[in-house]
């Protein structure tokens, strides 16, 4: 008889972390591997943010803080939500966690009962379904297709909602596809949600500032103010501010929900790192001048990757609105055989063969709930991306 929890059998390890770990192990063994699995910018944290962290250390701000964040950071979050999203929140409506993942996890743990359903559009970030399962709920997957730009339609959302639905998790721009919903597209979804007052909205806005061309970001409570009282608006400093390792995420929502999340956090990690919190204050309150130059680099990389992948035989790659991912289809490669004799039966086999035969690490689409695809993170150097895409072209051309 196992001494492990039954709950643990409901979840699996993160596939994105597994791919990155395998790529690192192969590199350490002397293999020539290009890793396109990690979802983090290759930029360094901006200097003003690092300086704020150093100043906090020198000032002795190294003690415990309130479980869910210092007042100064909560004020900065309120100011940011007003400035960028037109949303009014008080510090009592704000929770700060150890990364965006903990914020989502706290909210699900604080609200889900056995049998509660959570509607999750696919392709989805790998952790959403497993966090729902760990919290005792049931993920309900609503598949968006490549034909709609990987965006869920109003009819699909309507069909997925039942009397047991407690949450709808919404992520735009999306990990893994980079798909961003326009205001009009989001309004169609919020119109559906207005017809179902028992459904709450958990919106993951982590890639808010990483948008390209003329795309304008918007968030559900901004598009439909009547959803304000049942929306948890989640965000963080990891992606746009190149602060993945600092581990600061945050959310704003109804006071009762925030208090419940605080209770969960007080009995798990307690407060996020005090130094990271002071760095996040500077990230939100300080200059935002680095965002546009960084986005210009990401856009250039996106365009190069899309152009090169669409030249690969059997691959079709749509152009996303934001984030730093593309999610190409390999439908034209299914059924073929690699030079090493591997028959490409699905995207996991494709990704494994690509890594073993060409030294390119990507994350297979089944991990994100929609196949046959794979995810490329273009948050790495132009040189590495060009070489990786050339190897992908060569691999696809070699399939017979």
């Amino acid at each position: 008889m196992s001494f492990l929890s039954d709950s643990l059998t409901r979840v699996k390890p993160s596939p994105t972390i597994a791919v990155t770990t395998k790529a690192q192990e192969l590199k350490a063994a002397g293999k020539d591997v290009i890793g396109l699995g990690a979802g983090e910018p290759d930029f360094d944290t901006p200097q003003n943010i690092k300086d704020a962290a150093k100043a906090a250390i020198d000032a002795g701000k190294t003690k415990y803080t309130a479980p869910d964040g210092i007042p100064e950071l909560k004020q900065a979050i309120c100011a940011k939500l007003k400035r960028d999203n037109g949303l009014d929140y008080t510090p009592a409506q704000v929770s700060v966690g150890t990364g965006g993942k903990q914020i989502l996890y706290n909210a699900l743990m604080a609200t889900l009962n056995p049998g509660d359903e959570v509607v999750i559009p696919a392709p989805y970030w790998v952790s959403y379904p497993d966090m729902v399962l760990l919290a005792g709920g049931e993920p309900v997957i609503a598949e968006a297709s490549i034909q709609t730009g990987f965006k869920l339609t109003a009819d699909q959302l309507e069909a997925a909602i039942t009397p047991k639905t407690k949450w709808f998790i919404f992520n735009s721009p999306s990990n893994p596809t980079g798909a961003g919903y326009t205001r009009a597209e989001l309004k169609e979804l919020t119109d559906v949600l207005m017809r179902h007052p028992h459904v709450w909205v958990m919106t993951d806005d982590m890639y808010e500032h990483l948008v390209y061309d003329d795309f304008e970001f918007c968030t559900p409570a901004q598009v439909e103010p009547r959803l304000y009282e049942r929306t948890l608006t989640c965000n963080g400093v990891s992606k746009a501010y190149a602060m993945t390792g600092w581990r600061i995420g945050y959310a704003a929502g109804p006071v009762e929900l925030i208090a419940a999340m605080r209770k969960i956090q007080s009995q798990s990690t307690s407060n996020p790192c005090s130094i990271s919190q002071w760095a996040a204050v500077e990230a939100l309150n300080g200059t935002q001048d680095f965002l546009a130059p960084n986005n210009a680099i990401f856009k250039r990389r996106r365009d190069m990757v899309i152009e090169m992948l669409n030249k690969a035989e059997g691959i079709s790659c749509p152009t996303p609105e934001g984030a730093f991912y593309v999610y190409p289809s390999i439908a034209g490669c299914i059924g073929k055989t690699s030079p090493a004799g591997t028959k490409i039966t699905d995207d996991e086999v494709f990704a494994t063969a690509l890594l073993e035969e060409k030294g390119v690490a990507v994350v297979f689409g089944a991990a994100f709930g929609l196949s046959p695809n794979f995810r490329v993170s273009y948050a790495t150097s132009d040189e590495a991306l060009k070489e990786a895409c050339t190897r992908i072209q060569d691999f696809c051309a070699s399939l017979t």
Side-chain angles (χ1 to χ4, degrees):
M1 181 177 176
S2 173
F3 68 96
L4 299 177
S5 153
D6 289 344
S7 297
L8 201 60
T9 64
R10 291 166 61 85
V11 301
K12 57 187 180 299
S14 167
T16 52
I17 293 174
V19 167
T20 303
T21 301
K22 185 170 183 179
Q24 290 170 343
E25 289 172 351
L26 289 171
K27 277 185 181 179
K31 305 274 187 177
D32 177 19
V33 173
I34 302 173
L36 303 181
E40 65 176 347
D42 58 324
F43 307 132
D44 195 16
T45 302
Q47 190 62 45
N48 64 305
I49 298 172
K50 293 194 287 186
D51 289 343
K54 294 172 188 175
I57 294 171
D58 291 340
K61 295 174 179 175
T62 56
K63 308 296 185 185
Y64 291 132
T65 74
D68 62 347
I70 58 176
E72 292 84 354
L73 181 50
K74 290 189 174 189
Q75 288 285 4
I77 291 164
C78 291
K80 174 261 177 272
L81 290 166
K82 179 64 174 175
R83 177 182 71 236
D84 295 344
N85 312 114
L87 296 173
D88 289 300
Y89 288 99
T90 66
Q93 294 174 280
V94 172
S95 180
V96 181
T98 306
K101 185 178 286 189
Q102 187 184 29
I103 286 292
L104 304 175
Y105 180 79
N106 286 350
L108 294 169
M109 288 296 292
T111 57
L112 291 181
N113 293 309
D116 286 344
E117 294 178 351
V118 178
V119 175
I120 303 171
Y124 47 69
W125 179 44
V126 294
S127 294
Y128 294 146
D130 287 289
M131 286 193 288
V132 169
L133 289 166
L134 201 55
E138 299 297 332
V140 174
I141 308 304
E143 283 193 8
S145 70
I146 196 169
Q147 286 75 26
T148 62
F150 301 118
K151 300 177 199 178
L152 198 67
T153 66
D155 287 344
Q156 288 175 307
L157 176 57
E158 184 79 57
I161 292 173
T162 76
K164 295 181 179 179
T165 306
K166 182 161 275 187
W167 286 102
F168 168 54
I169 296 182
F170 178 76
N171 176 215
S172 170
S174 157
N175 175 3
T177 66
Y181 290 70
T182 65
R183 181 176 286 268
E185 289 166 339
L186 184 48
K187 183 65 167 65
E188 291 181 2
L189 298 184
T190 61
D191 284 349
V192 172
L193 293 164
M194 287 306 300
R195 294 196 290 272
H196 299 279
H198 68 291
V199 180
W200 284 53
V201 185
M202 184 180 295
T203 174
D204 182 349
D205 297 347
M206 189 63 76
Y207 297 90
E208 168 184 9
H209 293 300
L210 299 173
V211 296
Y212 314 113
D213 306 317
D214 57 353
F215 181 81
E216 293 185 9
F217 172 84
C218 51
T219 194
Q222 181 182 15
V223 171
E224 178 48 81
R226 291 177 294 173
L227 283 175
Y228 176 90
E229 292 296 338
R230 51 188 173 105
T231 297
L232 184 69
T233 300
C234 307
N235 210 320
V237 297
S238 294
K239 309 298 183 178
Y241 297 93
M243 293 176 68
T244 49
W246 298 76
R247 308 310 300 136
I248 295 292
Y250 60 83
V255 171
E256 183 181 11
L257 174 57
I258 295 297
M261 292 167 60
R262 182 186 310 120
K263 184 187 292 186
I264 297 284
Q265 190 156 310
S266 72
Q267 297 292 6
S268 55
T269 62
S270 193
N271 66 274
C273 171
S274 61
I275 306 307
S276 295
Q277 290 189 64
W278 284 106
V281 171
E282 174 61 25
L284 296 178
N285 286 345
T287 179
Q288 310 290 299
D289 290 349
F290 58 87
L291 292 175
N294 285 359
N295 277 14
I297 293 170
F298 277 140
K299 180 184 183 299
R300 183 184 72 235
R301 292 172 176 175
R302 179 201 68 171
D303 293 346
M304 177 183 71
V305 167
I306 290 167
E307 181 182 4
M308 292 189 72
L309 289 180
N310 276 322
K311 289 179 179 176
E313 196 173 329
I315 286 182
S316 174
C317 185
T319 301
E321 291 80 7
F324 39 67
Y325 309 108
V326 293
Y327 199 66
S329 165
I330 59 158
C333 299
I334 298 297
K336 295 183 177 181
T337 303
S338 77
T342 300
K343 184 163 186 179
I344 308 301
T345 53
D346 57 36
D347 47 45
E348 184 170 5
V349 172
F350 177 92
T352 301
L354 181 64
L355 177 58
E356 292 176 349
E357 298 182 36
K358 288 295 184 180
V360 178
V362 299
V363 187
F364 59 93
F368 305 103
L370 190 72
S371 296
N373 298 74
F374 64 94
R375 188 190 77 172
V376 165
S377 168
Y378 53 85
T380 190
S381 71
D382 292 48
E383 295 75 18
L385 289 169
K386 188 172 183 179
E387 174 62 22
C389 289
T390 299
R391 294 184 190 185
I392 293 171
Q393 288 176 345
D394 292 345
F395 179 71
C396 290
S398 72
L399 299 177
T400 56

